[in-house]
Amino acid sequence: MSEETRSETYAELAAVGPYGVRPGHALITMVEPHPGHEYAYNRWYEDDHYYAGAMAMPWMYAGRRWVATRELQELRVPEKSAVARPVTVGCYLSTYWITEGRYDDHMKWTVGINKRLNRDARVHHDRTHVFTSFQDHEATVYRDGAEGPRDFHALDHPYAGLVLQVIDTEGPEERAALLDRLRTRELPRRLAGSPAAMVTVFRPTPLPGDRMTYVKQVEGVDTRLTLLWFLEKDPRACWTEHFADLETLGGPDGRVELVAPFIPTVPGTDRYVDELR
């Protein structure tokens, strides 16, 4: 394909389809660098993969990296988690928003570019994907109503922390009941007066069959909800008062399989790498 033809194709693609700002989809990926490779992993992700493997792709319009120091890892529950074994594994978390209605378009590109990156030796293999999935947006609940940043601002606004929460249910009906209860009652009640400004709720979607082999297929497609709590305070400063009991949030409809606090990384630095172990 000639350069001129490629350019024309881009122009045609930009002229059709959704192009709103709503985060209709997300990539949420929690990764554990192998012992002894923490600095190399962080530099690879910060200097190359965050951009070439994510932000440079079509329709992925916002992203942020988060880190769990050993002190934060030790706040996680439950002790026996279906997501992280042991529950402390997975010290880096990356979150990305994808334009609503552009999931299929983005997936075509991401599979192609990651095959190319792997072929060109631009993939760091000394890592384990603990929890990696593309997800569809289900709801956002705000503490302050119409005031403050919206969910499409969440990965650019300077939040001081984030809590990743994963809840499993027995089936699709139970998940629907849990989502309704969370959206209408539990989350508004817990957000009121708390340092969390919003909670975004997602459900996982299956990865394509031609995904990279080092990323395992997604679990809980019909039964799982993923919650991201965006905090205005460092979670270590408000954990006991506001978030230590999040393990009970599943109630009669679900089992909380992970509650994991993080703080934002400082892009372009190795800050916190020496606090992971």
Side-chain angles (χ1 to χ4, degrees), residues 68-131:
T69 62
R70 189 64 191 178
E71 183 181 7
L72 286 163
Q73 295 166 33
E74 291 175 351
L75 294 176
R76 293 180 181 180
V77 292
E79 183 178 352
K80 293 183 178 180
S81 167
V83 175
R85 304 180 183 91
V87 72
T88 52
V89 75
C91 53
Y92 281 105
L93 177 72
S94 296
T95 51
Y96 302 97
W97 291 166
I98 300 168
T99 301
E100 183 178 27
R102 290 294 191 172
Y103 177 78
D104 291 340
D105 296 338
H106 175 78
M107 288 306 298
K108 291 289 186 182
W109 188 284
T110 192
V111 170
I113 199 67
N114 277 288
K115 287 182 177 180
R116 182 181 180 187
L117 291 169
N118 194 56
R119 185 175 64 244
D120 293 345
R122 288 175 63 183
V123 173
H124 186 95
H125 289 289
D126 292 308
R127 58 175 172 151
T128 298
H129 281 265
V130 178
F131 178 76

Side-chain angles (χ1 to χ4, degrees), residues 8-277:
E8 287 301 319
T9 301
Y10 282 128
E12 292 172 6
L13 291 173
V16 298
Y19 66 118
V21 299
R22 183 175 182 268
H25 322 275
L27 170 59
I28 302 170
T29 174
M30 186 169 70
V31 171
E32 178 74 8
H34 295 171
H37 296 269
E38 294 87 355
Y39 283 94
Y41 169 79
N42 189 57
R43 288 273 46 85
W44 164 75
Y45 207 105
E46 287 279 335
D47 298 342
D48 190 10
H49 198 62
Y50 177 83
Y51 301 103
M55 295 304 299
M57 297 191 198
W59 308 115
M60 183 172 271
Y61 68 89
R64 175 159 289 188
R65 292 188 74 214
W66 312 83
V67 61
T69 62
R70 189 64 191 178
E71 183 181 7
L72 286 163
Q73 295 166 33
E74 291 175 351
L75 294 176
R76 293 180 181 180
V77 292
E79 183 178 352
K80 293 183 178 180
S81 167
V83 175
R85 304 180 183 91
V87 72
T88 52
V89 75
C91 53
Y92 281 105
L93 177 72
S94 296
T95 51
Y96 302 97
W97 291 166
I98 300 168
T99 301
E100 183 178 27
R102 290 294 191 172
Y103 177 78
D104 291 340
D105 296 338
H106 175 78
M107 288 306 298
K108 291 289 186 182
W109 188 284
T110 192
V111 170
I113 199 67
N114 277 288
K115 287 182 177 180
R116 182 181 180 187
L117 291 169
N118 194 56
R119 185 175 64 244
D120 293 345
R122 288 175 63 183
V123 173
H124 186 95
H125 289 289
D126 292 308
R127 58 175 172 151
T128 298
H129 281 265
V130 178
F131 178 76
T132 293
S133 63
F134 286 87
Q135 309 221 9
D136 286 343
H137 180 260
E138 285 287 353
T140 300
V141 180
Y142 297 100
R143 181 191 61 201
D144 302 323
E147 297 182 9
R150 302 293 86 189
D151 51 14
F152 49 84
H153 299 123
L155 302 185
D156 295 308
H157 187 77
Y159 285 113
L162 177 141
V163 178
L164 168 67
Q165 183 172 23
V166 179
I167 307 178
D168 283 343
T169 64
E170 292 299 324
E173 292 183 2
E174 289 83 357
R175 182 172 71 178
L178 172 63
L179 175 62
D180 181 68
R181 179 169 60 83
L182 291 176
R183 181 170 47 199
T184 60
R185 299 194 298 277
E186 286 292 336
L187 294 181
R189 179 179 65 81
R190 284 179 171 267
L191 284 170
S194 85
M198 74 176 82
V199 181
T200 57
V201 185
F202 294 88
R203 59 178 175 84
T205 60
L207 289 170
D210 54 354
R211 71 191 184 280
M212 301 308 295
T213 56
Y214 52 79
V215 181
K216 66 180 181 179
Q217 186 53 272
V218 175
E219 299 173 347
V221 169
D222 296 320
T223 59
R224 177 168 285 178
L225 290 176
T226 304
L227 285 66
L228 300 178
W229 298 69
F230 290 91
L231 313 186
E232 295 175 329
K233 292 183 180 179
D234 186 315
R236 291 168 292 191
C238 54
W239 191 256
T240 300
E241 182 179 359
H242 293 284
F243 304 107
D245 66 340
L246 281 184
E247 191 176 359
T248 66
L249 191 61
D253 307 305
R255 305 177 308 280
V256 173
E257 294 291 359
L258 182 65
V259 178
F262 293 84
I263 54 177
T265 62
V266 181
T269 76
D270 289 318
R271 189 172 179 184
Y272 304 118
V273 174
D274 60 350
E275 299 178 43
L276 301 179
R277 308 302 182 194

